[in-house]
Amino acid sequence: RRKFPLYLIGYDPVGKVQRAASVGDLASIERLINCHGYHVNGQYTRRRKSLHYDCAHNHPDVVTLLLSKKASIDVQDDEGCTPLIKATQRGNVECITILLIQGANPHLRDLSGNTALHHAVSRDNTTIASIQCHP
């Protein structure tokens, strides 16, 4: 049976917002956005946005904050991964639930042709697969 890689390679934070997002520092993110003018849809290394980092590192409170600030929910990085795909690859149920409730498109495919549901099924994660089939 084929095993998939962890998919966290390259998700080391590169900027102030990404560093705060990767550790779930909600106060710092709010300050950076509100006081310093950081844009929630700013593009960083490999076309990754702050929402990708939050979903990869499992910080649902930050995901909620960024979505309330109009973060692009279905943005794809250089591998075609959306925040939903990234959260699914990492098994982050709370982030997945928030994204689906907020209207994330579960049918988008990464560059390998896989949707978030494909990633859930390939990892035998029935909880996540059922969430994506019945949000």
Side-chain angles (χ1 to χ4, degrees):
R1 194 154 147 143
R2 190 168 80 148
K3 290 285 184 188
F4 287 84
L6 292 178
Y7 290 103
L8 196 56
I9 296 169
Y11 273 82
D12 295 327
V14 294
K16 290 179 184 179
V17 176
Q18 290 72 33
R19 281 193 295 272
S22 69
V23 297
D25 187 349
L26 196 60
S28 291
I29 293 170
E30 283 184 294
R31 188 178 64 256
L32 288 166
I33 292 168
N34 295 330
C35 299
H36 299 283
Y38 283 87
H39 196 278
V40 294
N41 289 316
Q43 183 170 296
Y44 301 95
T45 304
R46 300 181 68 182
R47 295 187 2 220
R48 293 181 176 142
K49 313 281 186 190
S50 297
L51 196 56
H52 283 104
Y53 289 90
D54 300 327
C55 291
H57 293 282
N58 197 27
H59 297 293
D61 292 342
V62 180
V63 170
T64 300
L65 170 69
L66 292 178
L67 290 173
S68 75
K69 300 288 185 179
K70 307 294 184 219
S72 298
I73 198 166
D74 287 327
V75 63
Q76 292 179 291
D77 67 10
D78 68 328
E79 296 172 333
C81 291
T82 63
L84 180 61
I85 290 173
K86 190 51 60 184
T88 301
Q89 290 171 337
R90 301 292 298 152
N92 300 333
V93 175
E94 286 182 81
C95 292
I96 292 165
T97 302
I98 292 166
L99 291 166
L100 289 170
I101 288 170
Q102 293 298 317
N105 183 347
H107 305 290
L108 294 176
R109 296 175 181 271
D110 62 21
L111 295 182
S112 298
N114 296 311
T115 65
L117 182 58
H118 291 131
H119 287 285
V121 170
S122 72
R123 288 165 176 76
D124 293 325
N125 194 324
T126 57
T127 300
I128 290 176
S130 69
I131 290 169
Q132 293 190 24
C133 290
H134 309 287

